[in-house]
Amino acid sequence: DAGVIQSPRHEVTEMGQEVTLRCKPISGHNSLFWYRQTMMRGLELLIYFNNNVPIDDSGMPEDRFSAKMPNASFSTLKIQPSEPRDSAVYFCASSLFGANTEAFFGQGTRLTVV
Amino acid sequence: DQQVKQNSPSLSVQEGRISILNCDYTNSMFDYFLWYKKYPAEGPTFLISISSIKDKNEDGRFTVFLNKSAKHLSLHIVPSQPGDSAVYFCAAVKSGTYKYIFGTGTRLKVLA
């Protein structure tokens, strides 16, 4: 398996533009997580899904952030409109629900909003 | 409200010596704990875990200790190697939620 695949790896956009980050989880995994890494807060959980259903989105910072999981093999995180303070590395991770097990991370998307 | 805390942002250790990374948590409902290692420009990778029914788990050079009464866990790396230089994150989860809560990370530098 190729692991968790995220795209793009890098994104530079202007303030006010819409940004869409994409994630393909590991086949067979039924939990998917979006994290944001910042110096101040480390790895911050934004939202997670079980069986394509959003379970907890309490970490989503504002209404400008939204996430979807239309099927078991694809998820998006959208920021609209983007702001400079959204600049960070965004990680997607997946795991197998139902047992204490680890989450597997993608390589991340480095977002820069100028 | 940081439920998982890593109070040391960085640590330097000589090659061959022991590295000890610490992590504290505030939520007594957490019952599974993990350590991840992260190299620059890569995603975090799983290193070792421990269930709350244990107080120690060992895997090669890596050992995790859990002190539930103190809500504290630590990762020991013996002997430390230059390739261990990375950022280490601890994470905690409450069974049934699958909501992994991470700390802010500790940057370990192993000096040759």
Side-chain angles (χ1 to χ4, degrees):
Chain A
D1 197 314
V4 177
I5 300 173
Q6 292 186 245
S7 63
R9 289 294 310 276
H10 303 274
E11 177 79 45
V12 180
T13 191
E14 291 186 346
M15 181 175 63
Q17 295 297 307
E18 175 182 302
V19 175
T20 300
L21 312 182
R22 297 173 175 79
C23 175
K24 182 182 188 308
I26 292 173
S27 177
H29 282 188
N30 49 14
S31 291
L32 183 138
F33 310 83
W34 282 101
Y35 284 89
R36 177 170 68 176
Q37 183 188 8
T38 62
M39 290 295 291
M40 292 299 294
R41 300 175 71 98
L43 281 168
E44 181 185 14
L45 178 64
L46 301 178
I47 185 170
Y48 79 100
F49 297 82
N50 278 342
N51 296 317
N52 313 338
V53 176
I55 301 301
D56 187 334
D57 65 354
S58 59
M60 296 286 261
E62 300 172 34
D63 291 345
R64 298 184 296 106
F65 286 69
S66 63
K68 293 182 180 179
M69 192 165 186
N71 56 62
S73 59
F74 184 66
S75 177
T76 59
L77 177 68
K78 184 181 292 187
I79 308 173
Q80 180 185 25
S82 58
E83 296 183 3
R85 60 192 166 121
D86 301 330
S87 297
V89 181
Y90 291 80
F91 289 102
C92 175
S94 70
S95 72
L96 189 60
F97 183 84
N100 277 342
T101 184
E102 68 269 25
F104 294 81
F105 282 77
Q107 292 191 295
T109 295
R110 179 173 293 278
L111 174 64
T112 304
V113 183
V114 297
Chain B
D1 177 27
Q2 198 77 18
Q3 296 187 65
V4 178
K5 301 176 184 178
Q6 294 176 257
N7 292 318
S8 298
S10 63
L11 174 69
S12 290
V13 172
Q14 284 294 132
E15 181 179 7
R17 306 294 291 267
I18 183 171
S19 296
I20 300 176
L21 296 95
N22 294 303
C23 180
D24 297 292
Y25 59 97
T26 59
N27 189 340
S28 58
M29 299 299 289
F30 289 141
D31 55 6
Y32 190 64
F33 305 88
L34 310 91
W35 283 95
Y36 280 77
K37 180 168 71 173
K38 185 185 178 304
Y39 292 119
E42 294 183 12
T45 54
F46 170 73
L47 193 56
I48 192 170
S49 63
I50 188 167
S51 166
S52 61
I53 62 173
K54 295 185 176 182
D55 53 19
K56 176 182 173 181
N57 188 27
E58 200 170 344
D59 184 0
R61 296 185 297 112
F62 303 91
T63 303
V64 55
F65 295 92
L66 176 62
N67 182 334
K68 289 187 292 293
S69 61
K71 296 192 182 68
H72 177 84
L73 64 155
S74 61
L75 174 68
H76 292 209
I77 307 173
V78 182
S80 301
Q81 300 174 352
D84 297 330
S85 297
V87 177
Y88 290 79
F89 291 95
C90 67
V93 62
K94 173 186 168 187
S95 290
T97 67
Y98 304 96
K99 184 175 177 178
Y100 300 82
I101 305 297
F102 282 80
T104 51
T106 296
R107 182 178 301 277
L108 173 66
K109 190 170 185 179
V110 180
L111 307 170

